Amino acid sequence: MAGKGSSTGRSKGGSRDAGRRGVAEPVEAPVGGGLAELSPDRERARAWTLLIDGAPQSHVDLDDPGHLDFAYQRRIGHLIDLIAPARQPLNVVHLGGGAFTLARYTAAARPRSAQQVVELDAALVAFVREHLPLDPQARVRVRTADARAGLAKVPDGWADLVIADVFSGARTPAHLTSAEFLDDVRRALSPTGWYVANLADGPPLAHLRGQVATAASRFERLALAADPVVWRGKRFGNAVLVASDGELPVAEFTRRVASDPHPGRVEHGRALADFTGGAAPVRDATATASPQPPPSVFR
Protein backbone atom coordinates (compact mmCIF):
# COMPACT_ATOMS: atom_id res chain seq x y z
CA MET A 1 0.00 0.00 0.00
CA ALA A 2 1.39 3.39 -0.95
CA GLY A 3 2.11 5.79 1.85
CA LYS A 4 0.09 8.86 2.69
CA GLY A 5 1.42 12.31 1.94
CA SER A 6 4.27 13.59 -0.18
CA SER A 7 7.58 11.79 -0.45
CA THR A 8 9.43 15.11 -0.49
CA GLY A 9 11.34 15.44 2.76
CA ARG A 10 11.25 18.45 5.01
CA SER A 11 14.33 19.23 7.04
CA LYS A 12 14.06 20.24 10.67
CA GLY A 13 16.89 22.68 10.02
CA GLY A 14 16.22 23.87 6.49
CA SER A 15 18.51 21.65 4.38
CA ARG A 16 16.67 19.51 1.84
CA ASP A 17 19.48 17.51 0.23
CA ALA A 18 20.59 14.63 2.44
CA GLY A 19 23.55 13.95 0.15
CA ARG A 20 24.95 17.49 0.29
CA ARG A 21 28.21 18.06 2.12
CA GLY A 22 28.38 20.51 5.00
CA VAL A 23 26.35 20.72 8.18
CA ALA A 24 23.61 18.15 7.68
CA GLU A 25 20.22 18.29 9.33
CA PRO A 26 17.63 15.53 9.73
CA VAL A 27 15.15 15.10 6.90
CA GLU A 28 11.70 13.57 7.42
CA ALA A 29 8.55 12.71 5.53
CA PRO A 30 5.38 10.67 6.04
CA VAL A 31 5.53 7.28 4.35
CA GLY A 32 3.30 4.22 4.32
CA GLY A 33 4.87 2.76 7.47
CA GLY A 34 4.78 5.96 9.52
CA LEU A 35 7.16 8.91 9.76
CA ALA A 36 10.47 8.34 7.96
CA GLU A 37 13.50 10.28 9.15
CA LEU A 38 17.05 10.44 7.83
CA SER A 39 19.34 11.31 10.70
CA PRO A 40 22.92 12.39 9.87
CA ASP A 41 25.87 10.41 11.22
CA ARG A 42 28.03 13.02 12.94
CA GLU A 43 31.15 10.88 12.49
CA ARG A 44 30.84 10.22 8.74
CA ALA A 45 30.33 13.14 6.35
CA ARG A 46 27.65 11.65 4.07
CA ALA A 47 26.26 8.84 6.20
CA TRP A 48 22.66 8.61 7.35
CA THR A 49 20.45 6.44 9.53
CA LEU A 50 16.92 5.76 8.31
CA LEU A 51 14.32 5.59 11.08
CA ILE A 52 10.62 4.80 10.81
CA ASP A 53 8.58 6.15 13.72
CA GLY A 54 11.82 6.39 15.67
CA ALA A 55 12.92 2.78 15.07
CA PRO A 56 16.28 2.49 13.26
CA GLN A 57 15.92 0.64 9.95
CA SER A 58 19.09 1.17 7.89
CA HIS A 59 22.39 3.02 7.81
CA VAL A 60 23.95 4.25 4.54
CA ASP A 61 27.27 5.95 3.82
CA LEU A 62 26.99 7.50 0.37
CA ASP A 63 30.78 7.87 0.16
CA ASP A 64 31.46 4.30 1.28
CA PRO A 65 28.67 1.80 0.45
CA GLY A 66 30.98 -0.96 1.69
CA HIS A 67 30.59 0.35 5.24
CA LEU A 68 27.94 -1.57 7.18
CA ASP A 69 27.14 -0.04 10.55
CA PHE A 70 24.37 -2.26 11.94
CA ALA A 71 25.53 -5.61 13.34
CA TYR A 72 22.92 -7.66 11.49
CA GLN A 73 23.79 -5.96 8.20
CA ARG A 74 27.47 -6.69 8.77
CA ARG A 75 26.58 -10.37 9.22
CA ILE A 76 24.59 -10.40 5.99
CA GLY A 77 27.50 -8.59 4.34
CA HIS A 78 29.79 -11.45 5.40
CA LEU A 79 27.46 -13.88 3.65
CA ILE A 80 27.40 -11.75 0.49
CA ASP A 81 31.20 -11.92 0.58
CA LEU A 82 31.33 -15.67 1.19
CA ILE A 83 28.76 -17.01 -1.26
CA ALA A 84 31.11 -16.75 -4.26
CA PRO A 85 34.66 -15.73 -5.16
CA ALA A 86 35.44 -12.04 -4.62
CA ARG A 87 33.84 -9.62 -7.11
CA GLN A 88 31.97 -12.37 -8.95
CA PRO A 89 28.59 -10.92 -9.98
CA LEU A 90 25.47 -12.35 -8.38
CA ASN A 91 21.74 -12.38 -9.04
CA VAL A 92 20.20 -11.09 -5.81
CA VAL A 93 16.63 -10.59 -4.62
CA HIS A 94 16.14 -8.24 -1.66
CA LEU A 95 12.76 -8.62 0.04
CA GLY A 96 12.42 -5.33 1.89
CA GLY A 97 14.14 -2.19 0.69
CA GLY A 98 14.78 0.16 3.58
CA ALA A 99 17.52 2.52 2.40
CA PHE A 100 18.86 -0.13 -0.05
CA THR A 101 21.93 -0.60 2.16
CA LEU A 102 22.63 -4.21 1.21
CA ALA A 103 21.90 -3.60 -2.48
CA ARG A 104 24.44 -0.75 -2.41
CA TYR A 105 26.93 -3.02 -0.64
CA THR A 106 26.47 -5.79 -3.20
CA ALA A 107 26.86 -3.37 -6.12
CA ALA A 108 30.14 -2.07 -4.63
CA ALA A 109 31.56 -5.47 -3.65
CA ARG A 110 30.33 -7.34 -6.74
CA PRO A 111 30.07 -5.01 -9.75
CA ARG A 112 27.75 -6.09 -12.57
CA SER A 113 25.49 -7.97 -10.15
CA ALA A 114 21.82 -7.96 -11.16
CA GLN A 115 19.61 -7.07 -8.22
CA GLN A 116 15.88 -6.86 -7.62
CA VAL A 117 14.55 -4.99 -4.58
CA VAL A 118 10.93 -5.60 -3.56
CA GLU A 119 9.53 -2.92 -1.24
CA LEU A 120 5.84 -2.39 -0.46
CA ASP A 121 6.10 1.22 0.70
CA ALA A 122 6.13 3.37 -2.45
CA ALA A 123 6.47 6.61 -0.48
CA LEU A 124 9.51 5.25 1.33
CA VAL A 125 11.09 4.24 -1.99
CA ALA A 126 10.55 7.76 -3.34
CA PHE A 127 11.92 9.36 -0.15
CA VAL A 128 15.08 7.24 -0.22
CA ARG A 129 15.61 7.72 -3.96
CA GLU A 130 15.33 11.49 -3.54
CA HIS A 131 17.69 11.92 -0.61
CA LEU A 132 19.99 8.88 -0.89
CA PRO A 133 20.12 8.24 -4.64
CA LEU A 134 21.38 4.92 -5.92
CA ASP A 135 24.48 4.82 -8.10
CA PRO A 136 23.09 5.04 -11.65
CA GLN A 137 25.67 2.47 -12.74
CA ALA A 138 24.35 -0.13 -10.29
CA ARG A 139 22.05 -2.70 -11.83
CA VAL A 140 19.37 -2.42 -9.14
CA ARG A 141 15.70 -2.70 -10.10
CA VAL A 142 13.21 -1.59 -7.44
CA ARG A 143 9.72 -3.07 -7.59
CA THR A 144 6.94 -1.65 -5.41
CA ALA A 145 5.02 -4.71 -4.25
CA ASP A 146 4.35 -7.00 -1.33
CA ALA A 147 7.43 -9.13 -0.72
CA ARG A 148 5.72 -12.45 -1.41
CA ALA A 149 3.94 -11.14 -4.51
CA GLY A 150 7.19 -9.70 -5.80
CA LEU A 151 9.05 -12.93 -5.12
CA ALA A 152 6.45 -14.81 -7.17
CA LYS A 153 7.54 -12.81 -10.24
CA VAL A 154 11.20 -13.90 -9.97
CA PRO A 155 11.97 -16.54 -12.62
CA ASP A 156 12.58 -20.09 -11.44
CA GLY A 157 16.20 -20.66 -10.39
CA TRP A 158 17.24 -17.06 -11.15
CA ALA A 159 18.59 -15.99 -7.77
CA ASP A 160 21.95 -16.82 -6.24
CA LEU A 161 20.80 -15.10 -3.07
CA VAL A 162 17.42 -14.17 -1.60
CA ILE A 163 17.68 -11.78 1.35
CA ALA A 164 14.57 -11.27 3.49
CA ASP A 165 14.65 -8.16 5.68
CA VAL A 166 10.98 -7.22 5.86
CA PHE A 167 9.36 -5.42 8.75
CA SER A 168 5.95 -3.80 8.99
CA GLY A 169 6.56 -1.39 11.81
CA ALA A 170 8.99 -3.49 13.81
CA ARG A 171 7.43 -6.90 13.05
CA THR A 172 7.94 -9.39 10.21
CA PRO A 173 4.53 -10.01 8.57
CA ALA A 174 3.05 -13.45 9.22
CA HIS A 175 2.90 -14.49 5.55
CA LEU A 176 6.70 -14.20 5.33
CA THR A 177 7.33 -16.70 8.13
CA SER A 178 5.81 -19.88 6.70
CA ALA A 179 7.00 -23.03 4.97
CA GLU A 180 4.88 -22.11 1.95
CA PHE A 181 6.78 -18.83 1.69
CA LEU A 182 10.05 -20.76 1.77
CA ASP A 183 8.74 -23.04 -0.99
CA ASP A 184 8.64 -19.98 -3.25
CA VAL A 185 12.09 -18.87 -2.04
CA ARG A 186 13.43 -22.30 -3.07
CA ARG A 187 11.71 -22.00 -6.44
CA ALA A 188 13.43 -18.67 -7.13
CA LEU A 189 16.87 -19.86 -5.95
CA SER A 190 19.43 -21.64 -8.08
CA PRO A 191 20.32 -25.16 -6.84
CA THR A 192 23.36 -23.75 -5.00
CA GLY A 193 21.65 -20.52 -3.90
CA TRP A 194 21.32 -19.23 -0.36
CA TYR A 195 18.37 -17.85 1.60
CA VAL A 196 19.31 -15.23 4.20
CA ALA A 197 16.84 -13.73 6.67
CA ASN A 198 17.01 -11.03 9.30
CA LEU A 199 14.92 -12.31 12.21
CA ALA A 200 14.01 -10.49 15.41
CA ASP A 201 12.91 -12.03 18.69
CA GLY A 202 13.27 -11.89 22.45
CA PRO A 203 12.70 -14.17 25.42
CA PRO A 204 11.60 -16.99 25.27
CA LEU A 205 12.72 -17.06 21.58
CA ALA A 206 9.66 -19.03 20.43
CA HIS A 207 9.49 -17.15 17.13
CA LEU A 208 13.17 -17.74 16.39
CA ARG A 209 12.93 -21.44 17.21
CA GLY A 210 9.93 -21.76 14.91
CA GLN A 211 11.72 -19.98 12.08
CA VAL A 212 14.74 -22.27 12.37
CA ALA A 213 12.45 -25.32 12.38
CA THR A 214 10.61 -23.98 9.33
CA ALA A 215 13.84 -23.41 7.39
CA ALA A 216 15.10 -26.86 8.40
CA SER A 217 11.96 -28.37 6.87
CA ARG A 218 12.88 -26.90 3.49
CA PHE A 219 16.70 -26.68 3.36
CA GLU A 220 19.47 -29.19 4.04
CA ARG A 221 21.91 -26.89 5.85
CA LEU A 222 21.43 -23.93 8.18
CA ALA A 223 23.47 -21.56 10.29
CA LEU A 224 22.29 -18.83 12.65
CA ALA A 225 24.25 -15.84 13.95
CA ALA A 226 23.19 -13.73 16.93
CA ASP A 227 24.58 -11.81 19.87
CA PRO A 228 25.36 -14.02 22.88
CA VAL A 229 22.74 -12.22 25.00
CA VAL A 230 20.10 -12.97 22.35
CA TRP A 231 21.14 -16.64 22.26
CA ARG A 232 20.74 -16.81 26.04
CA GLY A 233 17.27 -15.30 25.84
CA LYS A 234 18.32 -12.28 27.88
CA ARG A 235 17.48 -9.53 25.39
CA PHE A 236 15.39 -8.79 22.31
CA GLY A 237 17.54 -8.56 19.19
CA ASN A 238 18.32 -9.63 15.65
CA ALA A 239 19.52 -12.99 14.38
CA VAL A 240 20.72 -13.73 10.85
CA LEU A 241 19.71 -17.08 9.35
CA VAL A 242 21.35 -18.58 6.28
CA ALA A 243 19.95 -21.70 4.62
CA SER A 244 20.99 -23.71 1.57
CA ASP A 245 20.98 -27.20 0.11
CA GLY A 246 24.71 -26.88 -0.55
CA GLU A 247 27.68 -26.51 1.76
CA LEU A 248 27.90 -23.37 3.87
CA PRO A 249 31.26 -21.81 4.86
CA VAL A 250 30.38 -22.08 8.53
CA ALA A 251 33.95 -21.87 9.87
CA GLU A 252 34.76 -18.63 8.04
CA PHE A 253 31.33 -17.13 8.79
CA THR A 254 31.86 -17.96 12.46
CA ARG A 255 35.29 -16.33 12.45
CA ARG A 256 34.02 -13.14 10.84
CA VAL A 257 31.01 -12.83 13.13
CA ALA A 258 33.21 -13.37 16.19
CA SER A 259 35.61 -10.62 15.05
CA ASP A 260 32.94 -7.98 14.42
CA PRO A 261 32.90 -4.78 16.53
CA HIS A 262 29.89 -6.34 18.31
CA PRO A 263 30.93 -10.02 18.33
CA GLY A 264 28.29 -12.66 17.75
CA ARG A 265 28.05 -16.42 17.90
CA VAL A 266 27.13 -18.81 15.08
CA GLU A 267 25.39 -22.15 15.62
CA HIS A 268 24.75 -24.88 13.05
CA GLY A 269 24.24 -28.62 12.76
CA ARG A 270 23.17 -30.56 15.83
CA ALA A 271 23.49 -27.59 18.19
CA LEU A 272 21.11 -25.55 16.05
CA ALA A 273 18.68 -28.45 15.75
CA ASP A 274 18.72 -28.80 19.53
CA PHE A 275 18.05 -25.07 19.87
CA THR A 276 14.65 -25.48 18.18
CA GLY A 277 13.50 -27.58 21.15
CA GLY A 278 11.05 -29.56 19.02
CA ALA A 279 9.35 -26.47 17.54
CA ALA A 280 7.08 -27.29 14.59
CA PRO A 281 7.46 -25.70 11.15
CA VAL A 282 5.17 -22.70 10.63
CA ARG A 283 2.40 -23.03 8.04
CA ASP A 284 0.38 -20.30 6.33
CA ALA A 285 -2.73 -21.34 8.23
CA THR A 286 -1.15 -20.76 11.64
CA ALA A 287 1.52 -18.14 10.92
CA THR A 288 1.78 -15.05 13.11
CA ALA A 289 3.91 -11.93 12.83
CA SER A 290 7.15 -11.73 14.75
CA PRO A 291 6.88 -10.31 18.30
CA GLN A 292 6.63 -6.60 18.96
CA PRO A 293 9.93 -5.41 20.42
CA PRO A 294 9.81 -3.75 23.81
CA PRO A 295 10.12 0.08 23.76
CA SER A 296 13.50 -0.14 25.48
CA VAL A 297 15.05 -1.66 22.32
CA PHE A 298 15.03 1.72 20.56
CA ARG A 299 16.17 3.90 23.45
Side-chain angles (χ1 to χ4, degrees), residues 69-89:
D69 192 66
F70 290 4
Y72 89 86
Q73 290 182 332
R74 286 182 63 85
R75 290 163 190 168
I76 297 176
H78 296 324
L79 294 168
I80 294 169
D81 292 344
L82 292 171
I83 190 172
R87 301 187 71 78
Q88 178 177 309

Side-chain angles (χ1 to χ4, degrees), residues 260-292:
D260 276 341
H262 298 285
R265 193 174 92 226
V266 175
E267 295 287 6
H268 66 103
R270 174 51 57 189
L272 187 55
D274 290 345
F275 166 76
T276 65
V282 176
R283 308 293 303 198
D284 273 344
T286 57
T288 59
S290 65
Q292 181 71 36

Side-chain angles (χ1 to χ4, degrees), residues 6-16 26-30 35 127 131:
S6 168
S7 66
T8 300
R10 57 184 185 276
S11 166
K12 296 176 181 176
S15 171
R16 242 183 116 256
V27 181
E28 62 182 34
L35 182 68
F127 177 67
H131 297 288

Side-chain angles (χ1 to χ4, degrees), residues 68-120:
L68 297 176
D69 192 66
F70 290 4
Y72 89 86
Q73 290 182 332
R74 286 182 63 85
R75 290 163 190 168
I76 297 176
H78 296 324
L79 294 168
I80 294 169
D81 292 344
L82 292 171
I83 190 172
R87 301 187 71 78
Q88 178 177 309
L90 299 174
N91 291 342
V92 184
V93 177
H94 301 266
L95 303 179
F100 313 139
T101 303
L102 292 167
R104 298 172 201 268
Y105 179 86
T106 303
R110 298 183 174 278
R112 304 184 311 282
S113 291
Q115 302 187 74
Q116 298 186 34
V117 176
V118 183
E119 170 58 55
L120 178 62

Side-chain angles (χ1 to χ4, degrees), residues 166-249:
V166 185
F167 289 86
S168 177
R171 305 178 72 185
T172 300
H175 69 298
L176 304 180
T177 68
S178 68
E180 291 90 341
F181 164 64
L182 290 186
D183 286 338
D184 207 32
V185 170
R186 282 180 59 94
R187 178 200 59 75
L189 282 172
S190 70
T192 58
W194 295 2
Y195 168 65
V196 174
N198 175 31
L199 308 173
D201 199 9
L205 301 180
H207 174 73
L208 192 54
R209 297 178 204 278
Q211 288 304 285
V212 173
T214 305
S217 75
R218 294 299 188 266
F219 291 95
E220 294 292 327
R221 294 174 178 84
L222 313 176
L224 187 72
D227 290 352
V229 290
V230 174
W231 276 115
R232 294 196 298 268
K234 300 294 186 182
R235 192 186 72 196
F236 196 100
N238 295 86
V240 170
L241 173 71
V242 56
S244 177
D245 288 332
E247 292 291 337
L248 294 171

